[in-house]
Amino acid sequence: MKKRIAVLPGDGIGKEVTRGAVDVLKAIGERFGHQFYFSYGKIGGSAVDSFGTPLPDETVELCRESDAVLLGAVGGPKYDQLPVHLRPERGLLKIRKELGLYANLRPTLYYSSLAESSPLRKEIIEDVDMVMVRELTGGLYFGKPSERSTQNGQDVVVDTLFYQREEMTRVIKLAFDLARQRKGKVTSVDKANVLESSRMWREVAEEVSKAYPDVTLEHVLVDNAAMQLIKNPRKFDVVVTENMFGDILSDEASVLTGSLGMLPSASLSEKGPYLYEPIHGSAPDIEGQNVANPLASILSAAMMLRLSFGLEEEAKAVENAVNEVLNAGYRTKDISSFGKKQVSTTEMIEEVKATILDHETILNIMGAYA
Ligand SMILES: NC(=O)c1ccc[n+]([C@@H]2O[C@H](COP(=O)([O-])OP(=O)(O)OC[C@H]3O[C@@H](n4cnc5c(N)ncnc54)[C@H](O)[C@@H]3O)[C@@H](O)[C@H]2O)c1
């Protein structure tokens, strides 16, 4: 298989971890006989430095011409004082809009070898396996007006929560499709006791569910969902919610099983290309120290293999390699614990690559004796 991948490393540790995902994709190409072509573009602060904008047209063009997009992270203190339209995060919001990335998928998976890294007790997080599906291009973050003014001598402010019914329908449908391939349960999160937008969300969820009699639908209010994620995270399979609720809940879900450095994500559009990125930011506090955990980026590459290219076996090979490396006791600083072997970013990447390629060697040896 031949595929073009746009790589946007961005800022800070984005560059360090993206290198890991690219190396691992190359190793997969080598082991399974695929050709992946990588083209690099700028986004975020590094794009502001080079082009005076957080998302140059060249980058959007590059992404549109590619089969999938791999992103690192954007942001950093150097850019914090810039006017809003030049902030690195603007680049991220804009690429989502430009590519029509309406759904963000964040899996949260329990790794038995990392049980000690979770802030929760093992018996609570054991066997957690959920996917948060967040609507990504509507709601409060994009509604207009969003502005401050003065009325009768008072400072006032307004943000607008706007959704079209169709925007709700497509993301909820996606959640049901996903649940069908998993444990068959959708939890729809809203605030229907207060917000009109949530009442419409709930109505749409009910409507969509009629076409999926094999999938169970439950409605949970967002405040209750925040509590249940801590008390009983095992109860969730696929969770679907609007943009701002999803932003908050997916970060909460992300720390259940340990470090931010372990969590991948995929953003899906109607026609592609899809975009893959670790959920963490540019981590300026550890930038350039070769200590960042590259596994979230590497696991994002596994999601790319599965969702964009339909390469399930190859995706599994990456996920299995990550598991094997963790089981062998290798840990970056963020997930290190007593008795484990602490390794740098580059060493962790090498271990995962070697584990993927070792299988090739083993198969060759077995072939020679067949
Ligand atoms: N998608 C994105 O690009 C994205 C997401 C969140 C934040 N940001 C931006 O990143 C910058 C820093 O934000 P922040 O500090 O709030 O969040 P962050 O995710 O960058 O870091 C939070 C904490 O987690 C640690 N951490 C994050 N990723 C890690 C990894 N792979 N390995 C080891 N430790 C890791 C960091 O060292 C830090 O202590 C800001 O400019 C913010 O706007 C970007």
Side-chain angles (χ1 to χ4, degrees), residues 13 17 71-77 80 89 92 96 259-262 277-286 291-294 296 332 334:
I13 64 163
V17 298
L71 191 133
V74 299
D80 282 350
E89 295 76 10
L92 214 51
R96 288 174 186 161
S259 166
L260 272 179
M262 289 298 302
E277 58 179 324
I279 71 152
H280 60 74
S282 59
D285 53 334
I286 55 167
V291 296
N293 186 342
T332 42
D334 56 311

Short mmCIF file of all heavy atoms in Angstrom, two decimals, residues 13 17 71-77 80 89 92 96 259-262 277-286 291-294 296 332 334, ligand 1:
data_model
loop_
_atom_site.label_atom_id
_atom_site.label_comp_id
_atom_site.label_asym_id
_atom_site.label_seq_id
_atom_site.Cartn_x
_atom_site.Cartn_y
_atom_site.Cartn_z
N ILE A 13 7.59 19.87 22.59
CA ILE A 13 7.82 18.42 22.48
C ILE A 13 7.07 17.81 21.29
O ILE A 13 7.28 16.64 20.98
CB ILE A 13 7.46 17.65 23.77
CG1 ILE A 13 5.95 17.74 24.07
CG2 ILE A 13 8.30 18.10 24.94
CD1 ILE A 13 5.48 16.69 25.05
N VAL A 17 8.13 14.10 19.85
CA VAL A 17 7.29 12.88 19.86
C VAL A 17 6.84 12.48 18.44
O VAL A 17 6.68 11.30 18.16
CB VAL A 17 6.07 13.03 20.80
CG1 VAL A 17 6.51 13.24 22.23
CG2 VAL A 17 5.12 14.14 20.36
N LEU A 71 -0.12 15.18 13.63
CA LEU A 71 0.21 16.47 14.25
C LEU A 71 0.89 16.25 15.60
O LEU A 71 0.61 15.26 16.28
CB LEU A 71 -1.08 17.26 14.42
CG LEU A 71 -0.93 18.72 14.80
CD1 LEU A 71 -1.82 19.58 13.90
CD2 LEU A 71 -1.31 18.99 16.24
N GLY A 72 1.81 17.15 15.96
CA GLY A 72 2.49 17.05 17.26
C GLY A 72 1.70 17.81 18.31
O GLY A 72 0.73 17.32 18.87
N ALA A 73 2.10 19.06 18.54
CA ALA A 73 1.38 19.92 19.50
C ALA A 73 1.77 21.35 19.19
O ALA A 73 2.80 21.59 18.55
CB ALA A 73 1.78 19.57 20.93
N VAL A 74 0.94 22.29 19.63
CA VAL A 74 1.27 23.70 19.38
C VAL A 74 1.27 24.48 20.69
O VAL A 74 0.69 24.06 21.68
CB VAL A 74 0.25 24.36 18.41
CG1 VAL A 74 0.25 23.66 17.06
CG2 VAL A 74 -1.14 24.39 19.02
N GLY A 75 1.94 25.64 20.65
CA GLY A 75 1.90 26.56 21.79
C GLY A 75 3.22 26.68 22.51
O GLY A 75 4.15 25.93 22.25
N GLY A 76 3.26 27.66 23.39
CA GLY A 76 4.47 27.88 24.19
C GLY A 76 4.47 29.30 24.73
O GLY A 76 3.83 30.18 24.15
N PRO A 77 5.18 29.53 25.83
CA PRO A 77 5.15 30.84 26.49
C PRO A 77 5.61 31.99 25.59
O PRO A 77 5.12 33.10 25.72
CB PRO A 77 6.13 30.66 27.67
CG PRO A 77 6.78 29.35 27.51
CD PRO A 77 6.02 28.55 26.52
N ASP A 80 2.57 33.57 24.09
CA ASP A 80 1.40 33.87 24.93
C ASP A 80 0.92 35.32 24.82
O ASP A 80 -0.25 35.61 25.06
CB ASP A 80 1.70 33.55 26.40
CG ASP A 80 1.61 32.05 26.65
OD1 ASP A 80 1.14 31.33 25.74
OD2 ASP A 80 2.03 31.59 27.74
N GLU A 89 -2.74 28.27 19.11
CA GLU A 89 -3.97 27.47 19.24
C GLU A 89 -4.97 27.79 18.13
O GLU A 89 -5.81 26.97 17.76
CB GLU A 89 -4.63 27.69 20.61
CG GLU A 89 -3.80 27.20 21.79
CD GLU A 89 -2.62 28.10 22.17
OE1 GLU A 89 -2.53 29.23 21.65
OE2 GLU A 89 -1.79 27.66 22.99
N LEU A 92 -4.69 25.45 15.34
CA LEU A 92 -5.36 24.17 15.59
C LEU A 92 -6.86 24.27 15.30
O LEU A 92 -7.44 23.41 14.63
CB LEU A 92 -5.13 23.83 17.07
CG LEU A 92 -4.99 22.38 17.47
CD1 LEU A 92 -3.96 21.68 16.63
CD2 LEU A 92 -4.59 22.32 18.96
N ARG A 96 -8.92 22.37 12.04
CA ARG A 96 -10.12 21.54 12.25
C ARG A 96 -11.24 22.01 11.34
O ARG A 96 -11.93 21.20 10.72
CB ARG A 96 -10.57 21.65 13.72
CG ARG A 96 -9.66 20.92 14.67
CD ARG A 96 -10.06 21.16 16.10
NE ARG A 96 -9.08 20.57 17.01
CZ ARG A 96 -8.94 20.90 18.28
NH1 ARG A 96 -9.72 21.82 18.82
NH2 ARG A 96 -8.04 20.30 19.04
N SER A 259 -0.59 8.81 32.54
CA SER A 259 -0.03 10.08 32.06
C SER A 259 -0.70 10.57 30.78
O SER A 259 -1.13 9.78 29.94
CB SER A 259 1.45 9.88 31.78
OG SER A 259 1.96 10.94 31.02
N LEU A 260 -0.71 11.90 30.64
CA LEU A 260 -1.13 12.52 29.38
C LEU A 260 -0.30 12.00 28.22
O LEU A 260 -0.76 11.95 27.08
CB LEU A 260 -0.85 14.03 29.47
CG LEU A 260 -1.89 14.96 30.06
CD1 LEU A 260 -1.35 16.38 30.05
CD2 LEU A 260 -3.17 14.89 29.26
N GLY A 261 0.91 11.61 28.53
CA GLY A 261 1.86 11.14 27.52
C GLY A 261 1.51 9.80 26.91
O GLY A 261 2.22 9.29 26.05
N MET A 262 0.41 9.18 27.37
CA MET A 262 0.02 7.86 26.86
C MET A 262 -1.19 7.92 25.94
O MET A 262 -1.61 6.90 25.41
CB MET A 262 -0.37 6.94 28.04
CG MET A 262 0.76 6.49 28.92
SD MET A 262 1.96 5.51 28.03
CE MET A 262 0.95 4.16 27.41
N GLU A 277 -3.30 12.99 16.55
CA GLU A 277 -2.37 13.74 17.41
C GLU A 277 -2.46 13.21 18.84
O GLU A 277 -3.51 12.73 19.27
CB GLU A 277 -2.72 15.23 17.41
CG GLU A 277 -4.12 15.51 17.86
CD GLU A 277 -4.49 16.99 17.88
OE1 GLU A 277 -3.64 17.82 18.21
OE2 GLU A 277 -5.66 17.31 17.59
N PRO A 278 -1.36 13.33 19.59
CA PRO A 278 -1.45 13.02 21.02
C PRO A 278 -2.34 14.07 21.66
O PRO A 278 -2.45 15.18 21.13
CB PRO A 278 -0.01 13.15 21.50
CG PRO A 278 0.66 14.05 20.50
CD PRO A 278 -0.04 13.81 19.20
N ILE A 279 -2.95 13.76 22.81
CA ILE A 279 -3.86 14.77 23.37
C ILE A 279 -3.10 15.83 24.15
O ILE A 279 -3.65 16.87 24.46
CB ILE A 279 -4.95 14.13 24.26
CG1 ILE A 279 -4.35 13.63 25.57
CG2 ILE A 279 -5.69 13.03 23.56
CD1 ILE A 279 -5.38 13.66 26.66
N HIS A 280 -1.83 15.57 24.46
CA HIS A 280 -1.11 16.55 25.29
C HIS A 280 -0.69 17.77 24.47
O HIS A 280 -0.75 17.77 23.23
CB HIS A 280 0.11 15.90 25.94
CG HIS A 280 1.11 15.34 24.97
ND1 HIS A 280 1.94 16.14 24.22
CD2 HIS A 280 1.41 14.07 24.61
CE1 HIS A 280 2.72 15.38 23.47
NE2 HIS A 280 2.41 14.10 23.68
N GLY A 281 -0.22 18.81 25.19
CA GLY A 281 0.25 20.03 24.54
C GLY A 281 1.74 19.99 24.28
O GLY A 281 2.36 18.91 24.26
N SER A 282 2.33 21.17 24.12
CA SER A 282 3.74 21.26 23.72
C SER A 282 4.70 21.15 24.91
O SER A 282 5.91 21.16 24.72
CB SER A 282 3.98 22.59 23.00
OG SER A 282 3.64 23.65 23.88
N ALA A 283 4.16 21.04 26.12
CA ALA A 283 4.94 20.81 27.35
C ALA A 283 6.24 21.61 27.40
O ALA A 283 7.32 21.02 27.45
CB ALA A 283 5.21 19.32 27.52
N PRO A 284 6.16 22.94 27.42
CA PRO A 284 7.39 23.75 27.41
C PRO A 284 8.30 23.45 28.60
O PRO A 284 9.51 23.64 28.50
CB PRO A 284 6.89 25.20 27.46
CG PRO A 284 5.42 25.15 27.55
CD PRO A 284 4.94 23.76 27.39
N ASP A 285 7.72 22.94 29.70
CA ASP A 285 8.56 22.66 30.89
C ASP A 285 9.56 21.53 30.67
O ASP A 285 10.54 21.42 31.41
CB ASP A 285 7.66 22.36 32.12
CG ASP A 285 6.64 21.25 31.86
OD1 ASP A 285 6.25 21.03 30.70
OD2 ASP A 285 6.25 20.58 32.83
N ILE A 286 9.33 20.68 29.67
CA ILE A 286 10.29 19.59 29.44
C ILE A 286 10.86 19.60 28.02
O ILE A 286 11.55 18.66 27.62
CB ILE A 286 9.65 18.20 29.74
CG1 ILE A 286 8.37 18.00 28.92
CG2 ILE A 286 9.37 18.04 31.22
CD1 ILE A 286 7.87 16.56 28.92
N VAL A 291 13.01 13.88 27.41
CA VAL A 291 12.32 13.08 28.44
C VAL A 291 10.84 12.87 28.12
O VAL A 291 10.15 12.12 28.81
CB VAL A 291 12.42 13.72 29.86
CG1 VAL A 291 13.86 13.77 30.33
CG2 VAL A 291 11.79 15.11 29.91
N ALA A 292 10.34 13.54 27.07
CA ALA A 292 8.90 13.44 26.76
C ALA A 292 8.53 12.00 26.40
O ALA A 292 9.33 11.27 25.80
CB ALA A 292 8.56 14.36 25.59
N ASN A 293 7.33 11.61 26.78
CA ASN A 293 6.83 10.29 26.46
C ASN A 293 6.29 10.30 25.01
O ASN A 293 5.34 11.01 24.71
CB ASN A 293 5.70 9.94 27.44
CG ASN A 293 5.21 8.52 27.29
OD1 ASN A 293 5.47 7.88 26.26
ND2 ASN A 293 4.50 8.02 28.27
N PRO A 294 6.89 9.50 24.12
CA PRO A 294 6.44 9.53 22.72
C PRO A 294 5.28 8.56 22.44
O PRO A 294 4.80 8.47 21.31
CB PRO A 294 7.69 9.06 21.98
CG PRO A 294 8.35 8.10 22.93
CD PRO A 294 8.03 8.60 24.33
N ALA A 296 2.04 8.44 23.22
CA ALA A 296 0.75 8.96 22.76
C ALA A 296 0.80 9.23 21.26
O ALA A 296 -0.16 8.95 20.53
CB ALA A 296 0.40 10.24 23.51
N THR A 332 9.34 6.15 30.36
CA THR A 332 9.83 7.53 30.35
C THR A 332 9.53 8.13 31.73
O THR A 332 8.79 7.54 32.52
CB THR A 332 9.14 8.35 29.24
OG1 THR A 332 7.75 8.02 29.23
CG2 THR A 332 9.77 8.11 27.88
N ASP A 334 7.68 10.44 33.00
CA ASP A 334 6.31 10.70 33.46
C ASP A 334 5.61 9.46 33.98
O ASP A 334 4.65 9.57 34.76
CB ASP A 334 5.47 11.31 32.31
CG ASP A 334 5.48 10.43 31.07
OD1 ASP A 334 6.57 10.00 30.66
OD2 ASP A 334 4.39 10.15 30.52
N1 LIG B 1 -3.31 19.96 21.03
C1 LIG B 1 -2.37 20.83 21.37
O1 LIG B 1 -1.49 21.17 20.60
C2 LIG B 1 -2.40 21.41 22.76
C3 LIG B 1 -3.13 20.80 23.78
C4 LIG B 1 -3.02 21.32 25.08
C5 LIG B 1 -2.22 22.42 25.32
N2 LIG B 1 -1.54 23.01 24.28
C6 LIG B 1 -0.61 24.12 24.51
O2 LIG B 1 0.59 23.58 25.05
C7 LIG B 1 1.21 24.54 25.92
C8 LIG B 1 1.45 23.91 27.28
O3 LIG B 1 0.18 23.60 27.87
P1 LIG B 1 0.00 22.78 29.22
O4 LIG B 1 1.27 22.84 30.01
O5 LIG B 1 -1.26 23.24 29.83
O6 LIG B 1 -0.30 21.29 28.75
P2 LIG B 1 0.72 20.15 28.31
O7 LIG B 1 -0.10 18.99 27.88
O8 LIG B 1 1.68 20.68 27.34
O9 LIG B 1 1.53 19.76 29.66
C9 LIG B 1 0.88 19.45 30.89
C10 LIG B 1 1.85 18.65 31.79
O10 LIG B 1 1.97 17.34 31.28
C11 LIG B 1 3.33 17.05 30.93
N3 LIG B 1 3.33 16.34 29.65
C12 LIG B 1 2.55 16.60 28.57
N4 LIG B 1 2.85 15.75 27.58
C13 LIG B 1 3.82 14.94 28.04
C14 LIG B 1 4.55 13.86 27.45
N5 LIG B 1 4.34 13.43 26.20
N6 LIG B 1 5.49 13.26 28.20
C15 LIG B 1 5.73 13.64 29.46
N7 LIG B 1 5.07 14.66 30.08
C16 LIG B 1 4.13 15.30 29.37
C17 LIG B 1 4.03 18.40 30.81
O11 LIG B 1 5.40 18.30 31.07
C18 LIG B 1 3.26 19.24 31.80
O12 LIG B 1 3.79 19.09 33.09
C19 LIG B 1 0.26 25.74 25.96
O13 LIG B 1 0.73 26.70 25.05
C20 LIG B 1 -1.08 25.16 25.50
O14 LIG B 1 -1.89 26.13 24.88
C21 LIG B 1 -1.61 22.52 23.02
#
